[in-house]
Amino acid sequence: NLPLSDALVTASSSLLVAIVVIGGHLIRPSWLVQTEWVPNWRSLPYILPTLTHGSLLSMCWVLGGLAAQAYEKKSWQTNTQAFSVTLKSWAFAVALMIVGVQIGLLKEA
């Protein structure tokens, strides 16, 4: 259940970012673009790109947690172990994101 919880929190956080950016008239991130085929009603055209971005982030985060064995009980017995596992998980997730961005840029070129 913990990987599913992590995925839901990560995907939901991208929706929160989209709400704050659109509502506050802030500079939009590159992933927050309107979907052209969705009716232009309120913020509806932004939901699909936001959910796509959130699901990709959650996939990176869950894979990072699995790679660092963060979902095992023994990983959280001491604060030192918890910090180490979190750092490993974060590093793996960030590496996946960097590789994913590079692949996306390679496809565009």
Side-chain angles (χ1 to χ4, degrees):
N1 290 342
L2 199 52
L4 181 60
S5 300
D6 276 355
L8 287 173
V9 167
T10 309
S12 300
S13 64
S14 65
L15 284 170
L16 177 66
V17 167
I19 290 168
V20 169
V21 167
I22 291 171
H25 303 290
L26 303 174
I27 297 173
R28 291 191 181 134
S30 61
W31 53 266
L32 191 57
V33 294
Q34 283 186 319
T35 307
E36 294 178 11
W37 54 270
V38 176
N40 196 10
W41 182 69
R42 299 182 63 149
S43 296
L44 191 61
Y46 295 101
I47 290 179
L48 189 60
T50 302
L51 290 176
T52 303
H53 180 73
S55 59
L56 290 173
L57 283 178
S58 66
M59 182 180 66
C60 291
W61 185 251
V62 169
L63 288 175
L66 290 172
Q69 299 173 341
Y71 301 117
E72 296 180 6
K73 190 174 184 176
K74 66 178 182 170
S75 299
W76 302 98
Q77 291 177 348
T78 66
N79 287 339
T80 306
Q81 284 176 323
F83 181 75
S84 173
V85 166
T86 302
L87 194 61
K88 289 176 190 174
S89 176
W90 173 81
F92 191 86
V94 169
L96 281 177
M97 287 182 228
I98 291 171
V99 168
V101 167
Q102 294 302 316
I103 290 172
L105 291 174
L106 185 65
K107 283 176 146 181
E108 288 180 10

